[in-house]
Amino acid sequence: MTTLRVLTLNCWGVFIPGTVKYRRERIEAIAEDISQQHYDIVVLCEVWLKSDYQRLCKKLIPRMPHSHYFYSGAIGSGVCMFSVHPMIETVFHQFSLNGFAHKPYHGDWFGGKGVGLCKFNVNGLTVNVYGSHFHAEYRRDHDEYLAHRVAQAFQISQFVRLTSEACDLVLLGGDLNVEPVDLGYKLIRTNAHLLDCWLDKKRTSGYEHGNTDEVPSNSFSSPQPGYPDGKRIDYWLYRPSPNKSVSVEECSVIMNKIPGRSYNFSDHEAVLAVLRLETGDSAESAESRDARLSERDNLLGIALTELERGQKQTESDKSFFQVQVLVLSVLLYLLETSGGLVPSAPLLLSLVKLLLIIAIAVCAWTGFIVKRIEVHGLQTVAADVVNLIESSARSKVKPEITEPHVLT
């Protein structure tokens, strides 16, 4: 029998002065708190700065000697892992869709988000630990990134499903930015066949709803309409191999206020799960599998509709930026050929021309390159969804039984 204590936390390590408060102090407090506990594996999100990762390593390596940071995009994925157990191997899969490059104030595109996998040797058992941080949901009533998060959910479910056949235990931890009622959450659970530690726990401490974001008692939270108690978007999901059984002894929301300080460790709460893994039969029954796959196929149809909607919107955005290139180019041409109309302000004219050139370059890059990449990303995921739907449909068709041909 093996017991695992695993922790995940979004550290809110965004490095925007004046916007994110006490970043360095909080990172140091996070490192100090984790180093004083007895965790087997820790998955952290939003560790954007190398200096912050080094601060964590300096404090945690003596206690958890195995660590890995998943580098991706322009500023890194923000996801890293620490463990007392040795790593066998690691890999990172970047999502095909990661937000909009022309909205740098959201920042997700520059992080190159994806899913990181660390394989651990835990007392002779192979444990696959996946860490991820999905695209943020900035406005639920007008979610322009919904198609992207649906694509990310599908891709992570496929990645987990296709890389976990030989392991004894699957663990997925992180800030998935989806709620239990959302399509993305349901896709992950049905397609990758993952269970939710919070739902299967024997005991808990902390918030009764398991909410980890916009919790009222958090010093960095602001009231959200419809979420008086916050929302649950950080998870530990799991699945044992068929010849192993798992009991979730505890799943708790922890790491609230920093001791001796007036503020929290992060704008999110941490999730602790304690799992007991032992030999046993946990194979999915045929009836349960059929029901899960039937639900999954229905969800895939909904996901495909959302991806197609996203593709139409992206095609429209692409055309918009391309038209802007034409309009701005015409305007620049008119300014070049009528420079004598503004003889008393040559510096102003030069500045306007420079701004037009920059605007043309940005629109051209966005309309002819970035948006084309986004369209292809949506098409790729949609094609994978269609292939899975068709494969599932073929598996349900019973082969015709024909009479054997008798030679005469």
Side-chain angles (χ1 to χ4, degrees):
M1 181 180 68
T2 298
T3 300
L4 283 172
R5 291 173 55 86
V6 294
L7 179 86
T8 185
L9 172 66
N10 180 324
C11 297
W12 198 34
V14 180
F15 49 95
I16 303 176
T19 302
V20 178
K21 298 179 180 179
Y22 312 114
R23 193 206 78 253
R24 179 168 179 169
E25 294 87 346
R26 290 187 297 98
I27 292 292
E28 291 174 349
I30 289 169
E32 176 66 26
D33 188 86
I34 293 175
S35 69
Q36 299 300 316
Q37 308 302 320
H38 296 281
Y39 301 125
D40 291 279
I41 297 167
V42 172
V43 175
L44 300 177
C45 302
E46 285 204 22
V47 180
W48 299 114
L49 292 179
K50 291 181 181 178
S51 58
D52 284 343
Y53 176 62
Q54 290 165 357
R55 288 188 184 94
L56 290 163
C57 287
K58 184 177 180 180
K59 196 70 180 178
L60 297 182
I61 290 302
R63 173 73 181 86
M64 311 180 82
H66 308 283
S67 67
H68 186 77
Y69 187 93
F70 296 99
Y71 292 96
S72 180
I75 59 176
S77 70
V79 177
C80 59
M81 294 191 195
F82 295 87
S83 173
V84 300
H85 304 284
M87 293 181 181
I88 302 172
E89 55 187 339
T90 62
V91 67
F92 184 81
H93 175 69
Q94 185 172 329
F95 295 134
S96 298
L97 296 151
N98 268 307
F100 304 145
H102 64 282
K103 293 193 174 182
Y105 47 88
H106 284 167
D108 297 75
W109 186 85
F110 298 90
K113 293 181 176 181
V115 52
L117 163 61
C118 284
K119 286 193 173 186
F120 294 102
N121 181 341
V122 180
N123 302 330
L125 300 174
T126 300
V127 177
N128 281 19
V129 181
Y130 302 83
S132 189
H133 181 201
F134 283 14
H135 197 293
E137 178 190 75
Y138 293 99
R139 285 186 57 186
R140 193 166 181 85
D141 60 337
H142 179 65
D143 190 359
E144 59 186 328
Y145 299 109
L146 179 57
H148 286 220
R149 273 199 317 285
V150 169
Q152 291 174 350
F154 176 74
Q155 288 193 311
I156 200 172
S157 69
Q158 286 287 85
F159 185 75
V160 170
R161 188 170 65 86
L162 297 173
T163 59
S164 60
E165 292 182 355
C167 70
D168 296 292
L169 176 65
V170 170
L171 288 171
L172 168 59
D175 174 6
L176 303 185
N177 272 313
V178 291
E179 299 175 55
V181 297
D182 290 341
L183 173 61
Y185 171 87
K186 296 175 182 178
L187 264 180
I188 295 169
R189 289 200 56 191
T190 56
N191 191 37
H193 186 203
L194 295 178
L195 305 170
D196 191 332
C197 284
W198 179 259
L199 300 180
D200 296 343
K201 65 187 180 302
K202 291 183 178 179
R203 66 178 185 275
T204 187
S205 61
Y207 304 112
E208 60 177 341
H209 303 295
N211 296 336
T212 58
D213 185 39
E214 302 296 350
V215 174
S217 61
N218 190 298
S219 59
F220 302 115
S221 292
S222 55
Q224 295 290 317
Y227 294 97
D229 300 314
K231 52 188 177 181
R232 186 162 78 98
I233 59 175
D234 301 82
Y235 300 91
W236 274 114
L237 307 178
Y238 73 100
R239 169 170 43 84
S241 64
N243 63 343
K244 296 289 186 295
S245 66
V246 166
S247 62
V248 182
E249 300 299 309
E250 178 185 357
C251 188
S252 299
V253 175
I254 63 172
M255 294 184 70
N256 316 120
K257 285 282 194 304
I258 300 174
R261 307 280 180 89
S262 61
Y263 51 88
N264 284 55
F265 286 97
S266 172
D267 62 341
H268 284 237
E269 319 298 317
V271 180
L272 163 70
V274 181
L275 303 97
R276 181 174 295 172
L277 177 67
E278 54 190 338
T279 301
D281 183 11
S282 65
E284 189 178 21
S285 67
E287 183 180 353
S288 175
R289 182 177 183 276
D290 289 345
R292 175 176 60 82
L293 292 182
S294 177
E295 180 185 1
R296 181 203 65 178
D297 291 347
N298 290 333
L299 294 170
L300 288 174
I302 299 171
L304 187 60
T305 300
E306 184 57 41
L307 292 170
E308 291 171 346
R309 185 204 63 77
Q311 185 177 335
K312 289 179 182 178
Q313 182 60 52
T314 304
E315 292 280 7
S316 176
D317 292 344
K318 182 181 71 171
S319 299
F320 170 80
F321 282 105
Q322 291 175 352
V323 169
Q324 294 307 306
V325 172
L326 176 60
V327 172
L328 293 173
S329 297
V330 170
L331 184 56
L332 179 62
Y333 173 77
L334 293 175
L335 285 176
E336 284 287 354
T337 56
S338 58
L341 296 178
V342 199
S344 60
L347 290 178
L348 178 60
L349 182 62
S350 297
L351 178 60
V352 171
K353 289 179 181 178
L354 176 61
L355 292 175
L356 281 173
I357 290 172
I358 293 173
I360 291 169
V362 170
C363 288
W365 175 64
T366 304
F368 291 98
I369 298 176
V370 176
K371 286 299 174 181
R372 285 179 62 84
I373 293 174
E374 187 179 341
V375 168
H376 290 161
L378 287 162
Q379 289 175 334
T380 293
V381 179
D384 291 341
V385 170
V386 169
N387 287 337
L388 187 56
I389 291 173
E390 292 178 348
S391 174
S392 179
R394 287 194 297 270
S395 68
K396 295 176 182 177
V397 176
K398 296 180 180 180
E400 294 184 7
I401 300 177
T402 58
E403 293 294 328
H405 179 69
V406 180
L407 295 176
T408 58

